[in-house]
Amino acid sequence: MTAKVPGGGRRFGGLRALCFGARLALTGGRDGTIRTALTAVGVGLGVAMLLLAASVPTARHHRDERIHHRIDINLDDRVIKPSADTVLISDIDTVFRGKEIRGRMVQPEGSGAPLPPGVLHYPRPGEMVVSPALRKLLAAPGSELLRERLAHPITGEVGDPGLLGPGEYVFYLGGEHMVDGVAGARRLDHFGKAYPRKPLPPELALLGIAGIVVLLAPVGVFIAAAVRFGGEQRDRRLAALRLVGADRGMTAGIAAGEAVLSTLVGIALGAILFIAGRQFIGLADIQGLSVFTEDLTPEPLLAALTVVAVLALSLVVTRLAMNKVAVEPLGVVRRSGGTTRRLWWRIAMPLLGLVLLRTSVRNASDLHNAGGVALVVAGMLALLVGVTAVLPWAVEHLTGLSGGFGPLSWQLAVRRVQLSGEAATRSVNGIAVAVAGAVALQTLFTGIAQSPPAPPPRMTHVSSAPRTHVGVARLDDGMGEAERYAAVFAATPGVQQAIGFGELSVSTPGDGFPQTVRIADCAQLRLLASLPACSDGDAFLVVPPGTGGADDMTTWKAGTPLRIGAGGPRWTTPRITATAHATSADPQGDFPERMLLTTPRAAGPTAIAHAASTVGLTYTASGEDVQDRIRTAAARLAPSFSVNFPGQPQGDPALDGIKRALLAGVTAVLLLIAASMLLGALEQLRDRTRVLAVLVAFGTRRRTLVGSVLWQTALPLALGLLVAGLVGTTLGRVLLGLVGKRAVYDWSTLLAIGGLGAAAAVVVTLLTLPTLWRSTRPEGLRHE
């Protein structure tokens, strides 16, 4: 069918309808301009986020290259002889208030020594070069302990090639008198090593897949909602076009033209936002993750797919929206039916997702195949998108049951939700999908990171005392000065006790089981075990309490030849004076095997020279910055002193890296969803300006209208969070089942995620109140 265009007699085809709709989006008056601007801003924010996601492969590739270029370990197992082209290096990493600091002590052995990436020259002994982020941290207020720990003159900065991100803390300290193989020192003739990427374990591969879906699904929901901004006004305008002769196909084409133009403007705006934000990305540090500007370069194929996908999504959403209304010549907008929403197909979508997930992975290798990954992604999307399908049905039925009673503000809110249920749930869909995904991710994190249950603590172990913890400081110097080091640690505020001893590992030649030997004077040994009479020259076999010896694999016998370390000199077991039991004062008293405690004379000079100076610490948790004070005391004694706190949970570096990246993405998505909710709320208020002004003119109190706006947000939001929690926990449980893990729910964190989503919605609603107040003025009664 053809029709006359307003003001012209030419035939009006499909392409002309698209062009006419695009022209209306630009020349439709003030309302049309505002509607186009809102849609473009919404789509632009979503496109900027998608371009950020398209940059992840590039950022990961650059990060991997930097990791490979600065590897400072001899992975070839070859002997490197000292020369003018070698350097000695040792690890002196530290931690300050939860921030990990990468440190290296370096001593070039000649003018041709290779330089670490990002370092222009080696610092002289006692001097250091630091990363820009570490320089700022050292100068920041409250970093006195770190400045005391790294009290070395700064003579330069580490450049970008030597950093994984602009926010990484790195320093190189000039050393002297370093010896290869002593105190962790090793010799290198080059930095960097390229090696093929190993496939991620199934758990981490699944976590990465889930993270990508969880981060991108809310963005798609947000863009779909943004395309619908101003839908009611558009429908009324299309009804006017029907009055002058346009048919249903033409109105659909015109609506598509408006959507395409607004989407194209949004894509351009998104590219501009991405390019502008890219310049400042180096200043951002989200969840400990930072990237350089050049790392954020979208993959060309992914960028093209983003443009095509956003355009296709806008057309599909517009077409589906047109099917839900009947635009008639004599009606502004008449709903195309008053039938109740059907539940069966809304439930079918998440059920289909469950079926796909159950059948997607039959063994761990399926997570590295394209087919298995596609099924997992499809199943997750079906479950998450199912939230947006179930939510309108739940809102409709709840409002149908709760209408007709309650305060006036509640009744106004319920009536508004009944009249425009799509608009009411559209603004909440994004937050519901984001919360469902975050709950699933948290459940997945908790299940993967769960370690096997620890054995029950022994009653005699010192760490069972309330608010008391343990630590171990170690220096592999062969100096035999553990007692002197212990006296320094004992004077540190917050430290209750410090026990110094030398510690080494011995084994029978061949494939013998490693056994532990501790060397100290009688005064220190009495703190480790209940000893009888002790004098220099004695040795004691110590049995840990409560073990029963069932798992003991040690074979202590006087005169037995043993080897120190993996390839050290031989050592003979001394005469054992007596057998004793470990005491609760031993910070490391949880050894499952018997160990040998010896005095210096019984151990001999060979064992003393190869023993690591060790200090066992007990400290109170109530002391402020106790761990940092201990680390500072260790660094002041020797930069190579390592400090560990066995009571602290040790994470998987790969898991921690993925977790930081996903938490940074979730944070960005939540900010995007908050912006989308604000835009949607402002669009709805702008569309209802005349209605609000009429209500106030007839005597409705503004306080009642404010309450109704809050109820309109709270009702769909409460239902959305309930559905999101159910879908999220179910999704997390099913994903853990794919890798054979048991679901363990961290309810406090899950409630916090839901509370964060609710708080974001409430804050956004409160931000719309000034606009609501202006909409109720008498000027809102005017109409053109």
Side-chain angles (χ1 to χ4, degrees):
M1 175 180 177
T2 59
K4 301 287 185 181
V5 235
R10 290 175 292 182
R11 300 175 68 83
F12 207 66
L15 182 59
R16 257 183 203 287
L18 286 173
C19 295
F20 185 67
R23 196 176 78 183
L24 282 180
L26 295 176
T27 61
R30 180 172 175 270
D31 288 342
T33 303
I34 294 176
R35 181 174 57 256
T36 302
L38 284 174
T39 303
V41 171
V43 173
L45 291 173
V47 168
M49 181 64 67
L50 291 177
L51 290 177
L52 180 64
S55 304
V56 169
T58 304
R60 182 183 178 184
H61 175 69
H62 290 176
R63 189 180 184 89
D64 289 344
E65 283 189 336
R66 294 190 182 98
I67 291 175
H68 295 167
H69 290 165
R70 74 177 189 184
I71 288 177
D72 50 16
I73 300 176
N74 180 18
L75 300 176
D76 299 330
D77 293 331
R78 58 188 176 88
V79 178
I80 302 177
K81 297 181 178 180
S83 69
D85 299 328
T86 58
V87 60
L88 292 172
I89 187 170
S90 65
D91 300 346
I92 51 174
D93 299 338
T94 187
V95 178
F96 178 68
R97 293 178 181 168
K99 299 180 178 69
E100 296 182 0
I101 302 174
R102 184 178 192 266
R104 296 292 186 267
M105 182 182 292
V106 290
Q107 178 183 328
E109 296 184 290
S111 58
L115 287 168
V119 177
L120 299 179
H121 60 83
Y122 277 110
R124 290 190 291 268
E127 299 177 346
M128 65 180 182
V129 294
V130 300
S131 64
L134 182 56
R135 183 191 286 270
K136 293 179 181 178
L137 182 61
L138 287 168
S143 299
E144 292 79 9
L145 283 175
L146 183 61
R147 286 194 290 270
E148 183 181 351
R149 190 183 313 174
L150 302 180
H152 309 287
I154 298 176
T155 60
E157 285 192 350
V158 181
D160 293 353
L163 304 175
L164 300 185
E168 189 183 19
Y169 305 110
V170 176
F171 72 94
Y172 289 89
L173 174 64
E176 58 181 346
H177 309 306
M178 297 176 65
V179 179
D180 185 20
V182 177
R186 55 192 178 274
R187 180 173 287 112
L188 298 176
D189 56 5
H190 72 282
F191 286 88
K193 175 70 176 179
Y195 55 90
R197 180 189 298 277
K198 296 181 180 179
L200 286 174
E203 296 87 353
L204 301 187
L206 179 62
L207 190 58
I209 296 169
I212 293 173
V213 175
V214 165
L215 296 181
L216 296 185
V219 178
V221 173
F222 168 45
I223 293 177
V227 173
R228 286 287 296 143
F229 286 166
E232 295 184 5
Q233 288 190 358
R234 181 206 63 191
D235 295 337
R236 288 194 292 268
R237 187 176 59 254
L238 293 178
L241 292 175
R242 288 295 310 276
L243 190 61
V244 296
D247 61 10
R248 296 177 186 271
M250 293 175 190
T251 54
I254 294 171
E258 289 188 70
V260 167
L261 180 75
S262 301
T263 303
L264 288 175
V265 175
I267 291 173
L269 179 61
I272 294 172
L273 290 175
F274 174 77
I275 294 172
R278 181 175 179 267
Q279 308 305 316
F280 303 97
I281 193 64
L283 304 177
D285 190 337
I286 304 176
Q287 300 292 342
L289 184 68
S290 61
V291 295
F292 292 105
T293 299
E294 58 270 19
D295 293 342
L296 289 187
T297 303
E299 291 283 340
L301 178 60
L302 294 179
L305 286 176
T306 297
V307 174
V308 174
V310 171
L311 280 172
L313 181 62
S314 67
L315 289 173
V316 170
V317 169
T318 302
R319 182 60 183 172
L320 291 177
M322 291 297 297
N323 289 336
K324 297 179 181 180
V325 297
V327 180
E328 300 294 347
L330 299 180
V332 179
V333 176
R334 179 170 62 82
R335 298 297 172 184
S336 59
T339 59
T340 304
R341 290 183 173 90
R342 298 184 182 275
L343 180 62
W344 67 268
W345 71 267
R346 300 174 189 274
I347 296 296
M349 186 177 296
L351 288 179
L352 174 62
L354 288 175
V355 171
L356 289 175
L357 288 175
R358 289 290 188 182
T359 59
S360 59
V361 176
R362 300 189 181 276
N363 54 67
S365 62
D366 290 343
L367 290 172
H368 297 108
N369 298 330
V373 172
L375 289 176
V376 171
V377 171
M380 290 189 64
L381 285 176
L383 267 174
L384 292 176
V385 176
V387 175
T388 66
V390 173
L391 187 55
W393 178 88
V395 170
E396 177 183 337
H397 278 69
L398 182 62
T399 54
L401 295 174
S402 59
F405 59 88
L408 181 58
S409 60
W410 169 263
Q411 294 188 44
L412 285 174
V414 169
R415 185 57 179 163
R416 179 61 188 176
V417 172
Q418 289 175 338
L419 289 176
S420 57
E422 292 291 340
T425 57
R426 192 166 60 235
S427 60
V428 181
N429 278 337
I431 201 80
V433 172
V435 169
V439 167
L441 272 185
Q442 179 60 34
T443 304
L444 194 58
F445 275 133
T446 306
I448 290 177
Q450 182 188 18
S451 57
R458 306 184 186 99
M459 297 302 295
T460 56
H461 197 287
V462 70
S463 64
S464 63
R467 304 182 65 82
T468 301
H469 299 270
V470 300
V472 179
R474 192 184 306 272
L475 178 62
D476 188 11
D477 58 350
M479 300 296 292
E481 298 186 2
E483 290 83 357
R484 181 176 70 85
Y485 298 150
V488 175
F489 283 109
T492 302
V495 175
Q496 291 181 329
Q497 187 180 58
I499 307 173
F501 50 86
E503 187 172 83
L504 72 159
S505 177
V506 297
S507 60
T508 56
D511 298 329
F513 182 80
Q515 305 176 104
T516 302
V517 179
R518 290 180 177 176
I519 307 169
D521 58 28
C522 288
Q524 299 293 313
L525 293 183
R526 290 187 185 279
L527 298 175
L528 298 175
S530 300
L531 304 180
C534 175
S535 61
D536 197 6
D538 290 340
F540 304 92
L541 185 61
V542 176
V543 179
T547 61
D551 299 326
D552 194 351
M553 299 179 63
T554 58
T555 55
W556 294 108
K557 186 178 180 181
T560 303
L562 302 172
R563 183 177 298 278
I564 299 176
R570 291 183 176 272
W571 182 72
T572 303
T573 304
R575 180 183 62 85
I576 299 176
T577 306
T579 299
H581 290 275
T583 65
S584 61
D586 180 7
Q588 292 179 291
D590 54 355
F591 272 77
E593 299 87 19
R594 297 175 299 172
M595 72 174 68
L596 191 65
L597 301 184
T598 71
T599 55
R601 181 181 296 180
T606 301
I608 294 175
H610 289 81
S613 297
T614 307
V615 180
L617 304 166
T618 60
Y619 64 95
T620 56
S622 60
E624 184 179 2
D625 293 331
V626 176
Q627 291 187 356
D628 281 320
R629 293 184 187 278
I630 292 173
R631 290 190 178 98
T632 298
R636 300 301 293 165
L637 286 171
S640 298
F641 236 122
S642 64
V643 181
N644 297 310
F645 299 98
Q648 302 295 321
Q650 302 294 324
D652 181 356
L655 178 62
D656 292 341
I658 293 177
K659 183 176 181 178
R660 284 197 301 269
L662 292 182
L663 287 178
V666 168
T667 302
V669 168
L670 285 177
L671 292 175
L672 174 68
I673 296 301
S676 75
M677 292 188 66
L678 181 59
L679 289 175
L682 293 176
E683 183 266 336
Q684 290 186 42
L685 287 177
R686 184 185 63 83
D687 191 58
R688 297 167 50 202
T689 298
R690 291 187 63 221
V691 176
L692 295 173
V694 168
L695 288 174
V696 172
F698 276 92
T700 306
R701 292 182 299 179
R702 287 185 172 89
R703 183 171 57 186
T704 302
L705 295 179
V706 170
S708 70
V709 170
L710 292 176
W711 281 121
Q712 289 172 44
T713 301
L715 178 59
L717 178 65
L719 289 175
L721 293 180
L722 183 62
V723 175
L726 178 62
V727 172
T729 52
T730 302
L731 177 57
R733 187 183 188 91
V734 173
L735 290 176
L736 285 172
L738 297 181
V739 290
K741 294 284 187 176
R742 185 172 59 91
V744 177
Y745 299 111
D746 183 359
W747 294 111
S748 60
T749 304
L750 298 183
L751 290 175
I753 292 173
L756 184 62
V762 172
V763 169
V764 167
T765 303
L766 293 177
L767 291 176
T768 62
L769 294 184
T771 303
L772 171 64
W773 205 262
R774 288 193 301 270
S775 299
T776 57
R777 293 175 180 173
E779 291 83 358
L781 295 171
R782 292 187 303 177
H783 180 62
E784 296 180 5

